[in-house]
Amino acid sequence: MAFFEVIHVANQQEAATIVQDKLEKDLKANTLNVLGLATGSTMIPIYKKLVESSLDFSEVTAFNLDEYIGLAPTNVNSYAYFMQEHLFAHKPFKETNIPNGKAHDLDAECARYENQLNDHPLDIQFLGVGENGHIAFNEPGTSFDSVTHVAQLTDSTLGVNSQYFDDEEEIPNTAFTMGIASIMNAKKIILLAFGEKKRPAIEALLGDTITEEWPITVLKNHPHVTVITDIK
Ligand code: GLP
């Protein structure tokens, strides 16, 4: 029997406490060695809570979902920069992994990252969701069999992300992303979604249909999912 729980929270602080408790339990039980991390505004209060906690990640290897192609870790818009700022600079991990946005050979970088993932099976993967139901940068229409690959970002995603860039010209329109199959290999998934803009995606997840047009719906095929949301 699959485990699929939906936890309704009043706000992101409450969600952060629940996430902290879950991680603490798994760290104590020695079942959290590899943690899959996500970026986006959804994750900021979660990481803040983890930074303030006494949780020890020094024996945990981290893998991020995705990275913009063309952005160096020193670029404030890169996900490598985001992770340093919100988590890694404050909490030591055993090792952290993010696709190299400056890699020249894109196919080789995808293969390298997927091999690393195969060698370090994810115990828990955090996920946010895009307004169009994308997970990581797996946009609608991405095959459920996909592994780490180069994704072309949709206009919808570019529009949402443009708020973070000073100059629209600077927004990368491609990214490295774990594939849907890479994500589905995680033993447990914790999906976080807040705010009305995410309602269509959460309704798709809680509805009956599983379709590549709504990447998030693949989670209905996963054996262990926790959804934490303020959407009722
Ligand atoms: C980006 C990331 C996703 C994230 C999404 C939602 O597209 N690649 O991993 O889930 O943004 O971001 P936010 O949490 O800011 O709504």
Side-chain angles (χ1 to χ4, degrees):
M1 257 299 271
F3 175 92
F4 191 99
E5 66 174 339
V6 181
I7 304 177
H8 289 287
V9 291
N11 53 49
Q12 286 177 266
Q13 278 60 45
E14 207 182 303
T17 304
I18 292 168
V19 170
Q20 182 188 336
D21 290 348
K22 284 186 180 292
L23 297 189
E24 185 169 12
K25 240 168 109 191
D26 283 11
L27 283 167
K28 277 205 178 121
N30 257 321
T31 55
L32 176 52
N33 301 304
V34 185
L35 178 59
L37 300 171
T39 50
S41 56
T42 303
M43 298 309 299
I44 294 175
I46 308 292
Y47 294 150
K48 186 165 186 284
K49 184 85 181 174
L50 298 182
V51 166
E52 288 165 0
S53 78
S54 59
L55 295 189
D56 179 3
F57 295 101
S58 60
E59 290 303 318
V60 175
T61 298
F63 279 88
N64 264 80
L65 288 169
D66 45 16
E67 178 60 288
Y68 289 112
I69 291 177
L71 300 194
T74 47
N75 185 307
V76 293
N77 290 118
S78 72
Y79 285 163
Y81 192 98
F82 176 101
M83 290 311 302
Q84 277 302 324
E85 184 181 6
H86 294 290
L87 187 61
F88 299 152
H90 317 285
K91 272 279 175 198
F93 278 71
K94 182 176 176 191
E95 199 188 303
T96 61
N97 298 272
I98 301 185
N100 174 9
K102 290 300 261 183
H104 290 296
D105 185 337
L106 306 188
D107 290 343
E109 178 58 8
C110 293
R112 182 193 70 79
Y113 206 69
E114 189 66 25
N115 282 337
Q116 286 287 100
L117 285 168
N118 288 332
D119 289 347
H120 303 84
L122 296 160
D123 292 308
I124 297 179
Q125 175 66 57
F126 289 143
L127 285 182
V129 60
E131 290 173 26
N132 61 2
H134 75 241
I135 50 176
F137 271 131
N138 293 286
E139 297 279 21
T142 307
S143 166
F144 284 171
D145 295 329
S146 54
V147 294
T148 302
H149 63 283
V150 172
Q152 189 70 41
L153 308 187
T154 62
D155 288 345
S156 142
T157 300
L158 291 170
V160 172
N161 292 359
S162 64
Q163 59 185 306
Y164 302 111
F165 290 81
D166 292 338
D167 178 357
E168 277 197 25
E169 299 280 296
E170 290 171 16
I171 313 172
N173 54 15
T174 53
F176 291 115
T177 183
M178 278 190 207
I180 293 188
S182 335
I183 293 168
M184 290 291 281
N185 275 335
K187 293 191 190 94
K188 295 180 186 175
I189 289 180
I190 299 178
L191 179 119
L192 298 135
F194 307 103
E196 278 306 307
K197 286 184 174 164
K198 305 291 173 75
R199 181 177 292 280
I202 291 301
E203 283 179 351
L205 173 62
L206 302 180
D208 294 330
T209 313
I210 298 179
T211 165
E212 289 178 352
E213 288 315 306
W214 284 94
I216 191 175
T217 61
V218 75
L219 299 182
K220 283 183 267 198
N221 289 334
H222 192 278
H224 197 291
V225 176
T226 298
V227 179
I228 307 178
T229 183
D230 65 353
I231 299 163
K232 279 223 167 109

